[in-house]
Structure formats: C-alpha cells, structure tokens
Amino acid sequence: MNAHAPLPVPPAPARGLGLHLGRLGHGFGAKRVLDRIDLDIPAGQFVAIVGKSGCGKSTLLRLVAGLDTPTAGHIAFDGPRDDAAIRIMFQEPRLLPWERVLANVEVGLPASVKGEERHSRARAILAEVGLAERAGEWPAVLSGGQRQRVALARALASGPRLLAFDEPLGALDALTRIEMQGLVERIWQEQRFTALFVTHDVSEALALADRVILIDAGQTGGHVALDLAVDLPRPRRRGSAELAALEGRILDTLFSS
Amino acid sequence: MSLVDRSTRLNAASQGAEKTRPAGKGRLAALETSLAGWVLPILLVALWEYLARLGIIASNVLPAPSAIAEAGWAALKSGELVRNMGVSTLRAFAGLFVGGVIGLAFGIANGLSELSHRYTDTTLQMIRNVPHLALIPLVILWFGIEEEAKLFLVALGVFFPIYINTLHGVRTVDPQLIEMGRVYGMSPLTLFRRVVLPGALPSIFVGLRFALGIMWLTLIVAETIAASSGLGYMAMQAREFLLVDVVVLAILIYALLGKLADVLTRWLEGLCLQWHPAFQAKRD
Ligand SMILES: Nc1ncnc2c1ncn2[C@@H]1O[C@H](COP(=O)(O)OP(=O)(O)O)[C@@H](O)[C@H]1O
Ligand SMILES: [Mg+2]
C-alpha cells in the first residue's frame, strides 16, 4: 500500500470511513444472494469489486449504504455514520429532470447548510468536476458523461467518508469513460474517502483500485473468490505489463469457476 | 484533469455553434407556418357570407357572419353578453376548481398509499361508470336550477380525468429517483415536493386538458336544460324568439371560451414543464 510513487499532489490524510463486514449474508426470500462475506476495508482505501452479472455486487453496495438490511452477519464502521457519511452513485445519473444542474448538486448538501452558502458550495463542487459554466442548465441538455459528472458532484457535495459506486461508468462510451476514470481518481486522491467501486470492467478496476475483490456466485450465494492488492504507482499506464498480468489472473479466476 | 477541461471547452464550443443559426431565410417560412392554419377558415367564412348575401343560405337557417357580428355587437353594448359570459366562465371554473381539487387529492392519496387505494379506488371507479349527464334530472330534483346544480355536474365531470391521471402520474414516478431521494436523506415531505409531484405533473396536465373539454360540455348541456342565466340560457331564450343569429353567436362564444381555456393550459404547461425535453424542443 505504501509503494505509491510520488503523486502530483501529496495525499491528504485519510478521512475515509473504514468498514468491516463479518460473515455478511443476504437473501431475497429463498434465494441466497450473498454468503458469508468477510472483509476489512481500511479508511481511505480504493476497493474495486468485480464479478459476473448477478453475483450480488449491487446487493453488497446497497447493504453497505444502508438501503437494505442484511439477513445474516453484520457491518461495522470505524466511527459514527451520520446521514451524510455514506453516498452511493448509481449506473444512471438519477438527476431530477425538473431541477437545474446547480439545484441537483444541492440535493447532496446536508440540510444544515443554508441559504447562499448552498449555492456557493454547490458551485465549487461543480467546478471541481469541470461543469461550473453549466450550473444553470436543465439536465436534459447535458451529454451522458456530463450528467454522470453532475451525479458525482452531488455525491461529493456532503463530503462523504465512504462513497459507493455501482458501475457508474458502465453506460458511457469508451473515451468518456477513460476521462471519468481520471476524474474519479483525482478527486479520490484529493478527498481520501473510502471508495467501493463496482465495475464489470476488469481493466477499469485495475486502473483505479488499491485492491480488487472478485465476487463469485457460488451454490450458496456470492462469496469473495479473490482479494488482490494492486501495488502499482498512479497514475497507471494503461496496457502496462504488470496490469496485464494482474488482469490475466483475475480473468482466469473469473472463468475457472 | 486536462482531459476533462478540454472536453468542457469542446462542448462549450459546439453549443456556441448551435446557437448561431442562419436567420433571415427562416423568418418568412415561420410566418407562413403560423398563418397556414388560418387560410381555410377565412376562405370558408368568406364563402358563407357570399352565399348568405346571395340568399342561397336562408337567414332563418344560418345568418350571414356579418349579421352574427352585428348581433354580437348589440349584445355587447347592452351588457347582456358580458354578463352571461361572466356567469358561464365563473360556473365553469368554480366546478373545475372543486372537482379538480378533489380529484387531485384522491389521486395523490391513492397513488401514495396502498391502503387508501384499496379502500376508495373501487368505489370511485364504480361512480365513473355512471355518465354524469344522466344525473341531470336527479340534480334538478335536488338543487332545482340554482348554481349548485351546475357546480355539482361540472365538478363531477372533471373529477375523473384529473383523478385518473394524477393517480397514474404519482404511481409512475421513476422509482430510481425516489430511491435516490432516500439515499440523500430527503424527508417524506421533501421527497413529495421535489420528486413525486414534479414527476407526476406532466400526467396531471394531461388530465387537466381532458377535464377542460368535459367542463365546457357539461356546462353547455346543463345551462341549456336548466338555468336562468349564462350563455346556454341566452341561446335557449334566443331560440324561443327565433333569433338564429344569437343562437349561433352563443355557440361561437362557447368555442372561443374553450379555445381560450386550452391556450391558458398550454401556457401554464409550458411554464411548469420548462425542464421537459418535449417543451424545450417546442420553444426553439
Ligand atoms: N429486490 C430483489 N428481489 C429479488 N431478487 C433480487 C432483488 N435484487 C436483486 N435480486 C437478485 O439478486 C441477485 C444479485 O443481484 P445484483 O446484486 O443486482 O447483482 P449484480 O449487481 O452483481 O449484477 C440477482 O440474481 C438478482 O436477480
Ligand atoms: Mg448491479
């Protein structure tokens, strides 16, 4: 983990939220979706979660974000988790079409921020994702990538300590996707939240994450099939031999089961 | 970082290009499009006037447009027309308001609460199967020909389109947006105000448009059968005195009021649904 090469900006102290999953399991009725997941994720770590479709990745994120209650096991956080501590970003931007871009970002601010400060804070975050001049537009006129950047700004607005991403770049074209990966990486380096990043793209996982977790849907539900540390300097060069080797390992495990 | 910056600039550039559209040539074409719809009606009215003057259309069947305009002018001067129009408009909107508010309330309640839906929807659907105009004899027995009768009939008529469309709108609000609201800690009231209601609004407007049609229709029938003032009453009285021009005038004014209400709704819709891609395209 400490093998990082010098970064363009020195990493801020981790203010992420560490979490521990103990024998976590979940089912819908008789259907077992997750089975005995044990994971310790330190504060500020960037964890990518990969796995075949339907193996329970989204379910895992929903449990962590508190959208569903696990049917077995437990989730513990290092510290209090208030309303604004955990945010989730979905595959779809899920912006309110009837509110302007700025108001959409303000949705992410805690209620304690009032009046003019809501606008200025939202504007600052919008500038962070490179959309400052689109603040007054309707979401409908933005491109898919821009909408997803607004959704990212909204997720960041409260300064979350844990950010769960559910295939947020899955619906974007390849070039926009690379661009967004750079943005996510940069913001993570600045803000040092704990990132849980679900993706079906193994190379994307390797480009971004400190650690890649492979979930495999077994007979009794999804379990951790591989837990791989990625100790490579950032920004990572696409197509490097090290990344290719790791990718091969993950894909082998993925298809051997 | 630089990639992001560059793409924003690129986007800004392409937006600029969109705005500088060639002007001038489009002006004439636009004028032609907006006037095209009026050509045929104007020709028809001219033909009507011509045939009436020739005596081919008898004046006791259909008076000439100029005769109707004269009758309109006379009624306007005496103040009778304005008074009757006022009475009818007030009735129409009072009924729309009462029926609309009740329909909206039930639509929202049944859209949000499964319990409320279970207990009231079947009953409301049953009432729907009774054509409300069939109630006129009963309504006259209950209320006579007073204002309550018209208010009741119009309110009953507009209730259903508003109820059904509000219910549909509330129930089909994108569940993903509702989940998003929950993730971001919106209170139930905020969730309703910022997500459910705006999401249901396009559908509510569809209901309103239907309701307007039913509103005028109900009022025309009710005023023609049982009233002592209003446009329908004016037309019926004119019929007794064989004043065909006034009868036609009343019909034309009904059409005008209907059109006016429609324009008003469109304007309101455009104002409330600015965000909607369909309305953005229209405004360009
Ligand atoms: N609300 C639900 N009710 C019943 N089954 C569900 C529900 N949500 C997900 N599932 C099932 O759980 C499994 C895992 O789903 P999900 O976590 O969405 O997978 P992934 O995100 O890895 O593609 C799937 O088989 C899916 O059909
Ligand atoms: Mg999923």
Side-chain angles (χ1 to χ4, degrees), chain A residues 97-98 138-141 147, chain B residues 202 273-284:
Chain A
W98 40 84
W138 298 115
V141 306
R147 278 181 218 167
Chain B
L273 303 182
Q274 278 177 49
W275 54 271
H276 206 283
F279 288 88
Q280 281 165 14
K282 246 189 244 168
R283 271 187 307 152
D284 277 356

Side-chain angles (χ1 to χ4, degrees), chain B residues 177-207:
Chain B
L177 284 184
I178 294 177
E179 188 181 67
M180 182 283 294
R182 293 230 171 86
V183 176
Y184 283 90
M186 287 187 186
S187 67
L189 193 71
T190 313
L191 199 63
F192 176 73
R193 198 171 48 79
R194 290 186 78 171
V195 183
V196 177
L197 193 61
L201 213 53
S203 179
I204 295 175
F205 269 109
V206 171

Side-chain angles (χ1 to χ4, degrees), chain A residues 62 94 98-99 130 146, chain B residues 4 8 11 179 194 275 280:
Chain A
R62 294 174 59 85
R94 301 198 187 184
W98 40 84
E99 299 203 5
Q146 289 170 331
Chain B
V4 171
T8 358
N11 274 315
E179 188 181 67
R194 290 186 78 171
W275 54 271
Q280 281 165 14

Side-chain angles (χ1 to χ4, degrees), chain A residues 26-29 31-34 49-62 68 166-167 198 215:
Chain A
H26 196 66
F28 296 100
K31 184 174 168 58
R32 314 287 319 147
V33 174
L34 290 175
I49 300 168
V50 296
K52 288 177 189 161
S53 177
C55 70
K57 306 180 295 291
S58 298
T59 305
L60 180 62
L61 284 199
R62 294 174 59 85
D68 288 328
D166 194 357
E167 308 195 29
V198 167
I215 294 186

Side-chain angles (χ1 to χ4, degrees), chain A residues 21 26 28 30 70 90 93 115 128 137 160-161 164 178 182 195 222 226 249:
Chain A
L21 313 183
H26 196 66
F28 296 100
F90 302 96
E128 187 87 349
E137 311 237 27
R161 298 174 62 209
I178 292 175
L226 183 69
R249 228 183 112 189

Side-chain angles (χ1 to χ4, degrees), chain A residues 99-170:
Chain A
E99 299 203 5
R100 310 255 179 193
V101 167
L102 191 69
N104 265 292
V105 176
E106 285 171 21
V107 167
L109 288 168
S112 56
V113 184
K114 299 254 189 269
E116 193 45 47
E117 208 202 329
R118 288 186 82 80
H119 301 321
S120 57
R121 291 249 308 251
R123 256 178 231 287
I125 301 153
L126 212 46
E128 187 87 349
V129 299
L131 285 176
E133 73 277 28
R134 311 303 295 269
E137 311 237 27
W138 298 115
V141 306
L142 301 183
S143 70
Q146 289 170 331
R147 278 181 218 167
Q148 205 54 304
R149 274 193 274 162
V150 176
L152 178 62
R154 179 179 64 190
L156 293 168
S158 63
R161 298 174 62 209
L162 177 88
L163 196 45
F165 298 85
D166 194 357
E167 308 195 29
L169 315 183

